[in-house]
Structures are given as C-alpha cells and as structure tokens.
Amino acid sequence: MALIRCVDVSIGYEGQTVVRDLDFSICAGDYLCIVGENGSGKSTLVKSLLGLKNVEKGRIIYGDGLKKNEIGYLPQQTDTQKDFPASVYEVVLSGRLNSRGIRPFYTSADKRAAEEKLELLGIRDLAKQCYRDLSGGQKQRALLARALCATKTMLLLDEPVTGLDPIVTAEFYQLIRRINRESGIAVVMVSHDIESAVEDASHILHLQEKMLFFGTAEEYGKSRIGRTPRLRCGKIRRA
Ligand code: ADP
C-alpha cells in the first residue's frame, strides 16, 4: 500500500486553483523529486501533503501506517529561520515536538534520538554551537537531522540546496541518497535541479498548473518533457 495517494487533487487559494488534477502515489523507499517552474504549485502541494492546507478537490490518502504529523519536514529557508537563536542540539531535538504531544519535557528517548541524528549527519561536534553561527551547509545538515528526528518513514524537503555552493550541494545530495538507500526512508524533494533529480530520484513529478508528468526517473529521462531542455527548469548543475 502507498504511504501517500493523491486522487484527483486540486489545490488553490481563495477559490483560485493553483494546481489541479494530481494523481500519484508515494511508496515506502521511493525518492520522489517534484520539479517545475517557479509558481507551478510545488510548495502549495507540499503544504497539503503535510496536512497544513486543505485541498479544493479530491483526496490525499495516508497509508501503510503513515500519519501526516510523522513526516520529517525541511522547509524552505527564510532569513528569520537562518537567525534562529538556539543551539544546534536544541534545533535537532525540536524535531521531536510533534511526537511529544502534551508531555511538558523531552524524554531520554527523545534526547537519544537527537544525539543519534547528530552523529549520523556528522555534526555531533557542532551540538553546542549556536545555530545562527553555522555555515549554510551545516545549517541544512542540522535541519535534516531535525527532520529525521520527526520520522522513521518519510522526509519532505523543500528546495534544500538553495544558496549552497556546488560542493556542499553535491555532499548534501549524497547524504540524502545514503539515507534513502540505507534506511529505506521515502524522500520527497522539491527541486529546481532536474539533472540531479533524474540521476538520484526513483520517481519524478513535474508540475505546471497541472501534472505534466508522473512516473519513474528513467521514463522521465526518455519522455518528451524530460528530454526537451526548453521545458526543463534546471538552475543548479551538479558539481
Ligand atoms: P512554487 O513552489 O512552485 O514556486 P507555490 O506553490 O509557492 O509555487 O505558488 C503557486 C502559486 O500560488 C503562485 O502563483 C503563488 O503566487 C500562489 N500562492 C502561493 N502562496 C499563496 C498564498 N498564501 N496566498 C495566495 N496565493 C499564493
């Protein structure tokens, strides 16, 4: 059974449809890249997948035991978030907030999970540093560790390499591939980088007001839209 099924979904703001006729599934272990030009509805879809925005039409069905509050989310970075005045450890630990419910304190299991994720992402030595003093790449690792604290099943990453230099970008993609392959966590990534998407992802969803393409990355590479540079929107190229 799919972790998420979108059935005939349309989403919009104040009666104005932004993206329509979405029919696709995400299964355990998938690596789905959502691509499309600016304004094509990628972030809007992400909000609906997280349950933060109601759909206008159709249904988003969660299966295989996945609850929408158990998706690990790495949002697009805003300037305010970049300045967040907390330690790296506190930022990572806050990934457990959803599962903490009404408990007032973090448990030792929460703290263990945060330490494990810091170790996994190679940032244990940064734990006590202030988050806002980190480099862009270190910040993204901390936020990825935070997202991993929130899930055992699915990561949702909204343009996670924006603003990173090519080497850090390549390292970040490698990390995502490793997490996906070694732990089987499904990855859903909004990306402008179609070259890397086709190389790394198992599936591609290409949006442009509607669903231009959904299928495997291999099928996408052979499709008219996947082969036509004019129709692509890649901005960052692999180092
Ligand atoms: P993308 O992530 O592909 O760049 P978005 O999902 O952010 O696209 O936006 C899709 C469309 O929805 C755009 O035309 C944008 O202006 C509009 N939009 C996004 N957020 C809002 C909002 N909160 N209220 C009204 N319109 C919005």
Side-chain angles (χ1 to χ4, degrees):
M1 190 183 182
L3 292 170
I4 295 183
R5 252 180 81 210
C6 279
V7 185
D8 194 21
V9 164
S10 297
I11 320 168
Y13 297 92
E14 293 156 25
Q16 194 83 22
T17 301
V18 165
V19 64
R20 62 189 157 82
D21 305 334
L22 301 177
D23 270 291
F24 65 91
S25 301
I26 307 166
C27 296
D30 279 358
Y31 185 152
L32 172 70
C33 266
I34 304 175
V35 300
E37 289 173 13
N38 278 338
S40 56
K42 303 183 295 297
S43 294
T44 301
L45 171 60
V46 162
K47 285 183 214 156
S48 291
L49 294 179
L50 290 166
L52 303 175
K53 174 150 188 47
N54 289 334
V55 299
E56 280 179 338
K57 184 171 156 258
R59 284 199 305 153
I60 298 180
I61 303 160
Y62 300 86
D64 233 357
L66 178 71
K67 297 191 186 120
K68 54 191 163 195
N69 68 347
E70 290 171 356
I71 299 174
Y73 176 44
L74 195 164
Q76 265 186 43
Q77 285 304 284
T78 63
D79 288 339
T80 324
Q81 284 163 342
K82 283 180 188 154
D83 251 356
F84 200 65
S87 73
V88 171
Y89 177 70
E90 285 165 334
V91 168
V92 174
L93 187 62
S94 70
R96 303 290 290 183
L97 278 173
N98 260 349
S99 59
R100 201 179 70 174
I102 54 165
R103 277 183 289 117
F105 301 109
Y106 291 111
T107 62
S108 51
D110 291 332
K111 293 174 188 168
R112 215 167 32 247
E115 280 157 23
E116 273 171 26
K117 303 314 172 199
L118 284 164
E119 183 78 42
L120 179 71
L121 297 194
I123 51 170
R124 187 187 256 288
D125 55 332
L126 301 177
K128 289 185 180 153
Q129 280 202 32
C130 188
Y131 172 79
R132 66 178 163 208
D133 294 337
L134 302 183
S135 69
Q138 289 169 334
K139 280 193 175 108
Q140 287 307 72
R141 276 185 188 239
L143 292 180
L144 183 58
R146 177 180 187 272
L148 278 168
C149 268
T151 192
K152 291 186 173 65
T153 320
M154 181 180 285
L155 281 174
L156 215 166
L157 317 170
D158 196 348
E159 303 212 10
V161 297
T162 301
L164 301 185
D165 71 44
I167 292 172
V168 178
T169 295
E171 283 170 1
F172 194 82
Y173 282 141
Q174 196 179 16
L175 200 53
I176 300 294
R177 272 199 308 273
R178 181 156 68 84
I179 291 165
N180 175 247
R181 287 178 193 165
E182 291 177 8
S183 66
I185 291 180
V187 171
V188 180
M189 185 192 291
V190 173
S191 177
H192 272 111
D193 184 357
I194 298 192
E195 302 297 327
S196 292
V198 173
E199 206 170 300
D200 290 345
S202 61
H203 293 77
I204 306 285
L205 173 64
H206 193 137
L207 300 183
Q208 192 178 305
E209 292 170 18
K210 58 182 179 147
M211 200 170 83
L212 283 190
F213 179 93
F214 173 70
T216 66
E218 199 183 342
E219 287 163 352
Y220 182 75
K222 293 177 188 161
S223 69
R224 192 181 75 84
I225 182 166
R227 281 187 287 110
T228 311
R230 186 173 55 82
L231 296 176
R232 292 182 167 198
C233 51
K235 282 190 177 161
I236 309 156
R237 295 205 153 239
R238 178 160 285 250

